[in-house]
């Protein structure tokens, strides 16, 4: 049987595919290793341009295990960027969401590939809904912890991984050295792709959540399994359902991301340069 994506073969080893992906990236970029990796979600895309010199732009589907993105605006490109101090960043513009239904192996493949390229820091960014009433659309916040409501895990078999300080307090400290005003919150990953009902948002609040999203938690677990240090940041593009009184629209969310993009991208680039 031929699989369109190698990861869809249940007998394949996802870590071996990630190693092949990393080898391909090394081949295409001529860079033996990457030091830091970033997944840029809604609103964060232009950070790539501010990080340094993009030396290579690779269509993700040229790399083993990656597939074409489902959503417009989620550009399926991997960029190798030379930072001013000589470090190399791998920018992943090819996030696969859990709600696409291709399974969790595909969701975390980019993170495992980043680890296989040598990256020791994984920066995960996203656009998300805010539960704290005083957050306004366009507010960037640090993820302090998460609650995974997907009822799934990227870990297979009896793999017990500690998730204490999953979102590194050291890296949050670096972020706050750039912007001391950064608030933080607990990210709640829902399966999506529908937004929450107001009752679900109240549940998320009652169990200790502050940010509603559809991506980062599963990726963070895989990043921790691979030994990376994790910085998570959400752009609050909307207040979560029922917290804001008007209905949520995908167009509004995209527009809020666009309006905040230059500001938060500068912030993120400054954080990376300070790491
Ligand atoms: I942008 O309100 C964005 N992504 N689950 N809820 C969830 N995901 C989101 C939201 C939101 N806004």
């Amino acid at each position: 049987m031929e699989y369109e994506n190698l990861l869809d073969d249940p007998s394949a080893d996802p870590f071996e595919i990630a190693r092949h992906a990393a080898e391909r990236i090394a081949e295409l970029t001529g860079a033996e290793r990457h030091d830091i990796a970033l997944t840029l979600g809604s609103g964060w895309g232009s950070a790539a341009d501010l990080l340094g010199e993009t030396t290579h732009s690779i269509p993700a589907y040229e790399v083993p295990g990656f597939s074409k993105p489902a959503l417009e605006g989620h550009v399926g490109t991997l960029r190798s960027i030379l930072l001013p101090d000589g470090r190399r960043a791998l920018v992943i513009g090819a996030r696969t969401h859990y709600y696409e239904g291709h399974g969790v192996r595909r969701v975390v493949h980019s993170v495992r590939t980043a680890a296989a390229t040598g990256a020791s820091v994984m920066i995960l960014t996203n656009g998300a809904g805010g539960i704290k009433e005083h957050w306004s659309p366009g507010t960037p916040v640090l993820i302090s912890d998460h609650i995974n409501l997907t009822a799934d895990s990227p870990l297979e078999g009896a793999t017990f991984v500690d998730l204490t300080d999953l979102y590194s307090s050291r890296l949050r400290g670096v972020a706050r050295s750039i912007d001391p005003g950064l608030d933080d919150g607990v990210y709640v990953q829902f399966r999506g792709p529908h937004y929450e009902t107001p009752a679900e948002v109240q549940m998320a609040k009652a169990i200790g959540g502050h940010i509603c999203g559809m991506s980062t938690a599963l990726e963070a677990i895989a990043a921790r399994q691979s030994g990376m240090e994790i910085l998570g940041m959400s752009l609050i593009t909307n207040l979560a359902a029922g917290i804001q009184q008007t209905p949520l629209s995908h167009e509004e969310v995209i527009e809020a991301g666009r309006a905040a993009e230059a500001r938060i991208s500068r912030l993120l680039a400054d954080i990376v340069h300070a790491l």
Side-chain angles (χ1 to χ4, degrees), residues 127-129 190 194-196 212-214 237-241 248 253:
F190 286 86
H194 50 272
Y195 295 119
E196 296 70 39
C212 292
M214 305 179 192
T237 59
N238 58 280
L239 290 182
L248 275 55
V253 159

Side-chain angles (χ1 to χ4, degrees), residues 53-74:
E53 181 200 347
T54 297
T55 60
H56 300 82
S57 225
I58 306 166
Y61 54 80
E62 288 187 7
V63 176
F66 285 86
S67 30
K68 298 194 174 172
L71 213 66
E72 195 194 337
H74 290 226

Side-chain angles (χ1 to χ4, degrees), residues 142-144 165 167-176 184 231:
L142 295 165
I143 299 176
S144 58
D165 199 40
Y167 299 89
S168 159
S169 45
R170 184 185 81 83
L171 295 183
R172 276 182 276 145
V174 174
R176 287 202 165 108
D184 61 34
L231 176 68

Side-chain angles (χ1 to χ4, degrees), residues 87 110-111 121 218 227:
R87 286 177 302 159
S110 57
V111 165
V121 170
L218 293 170

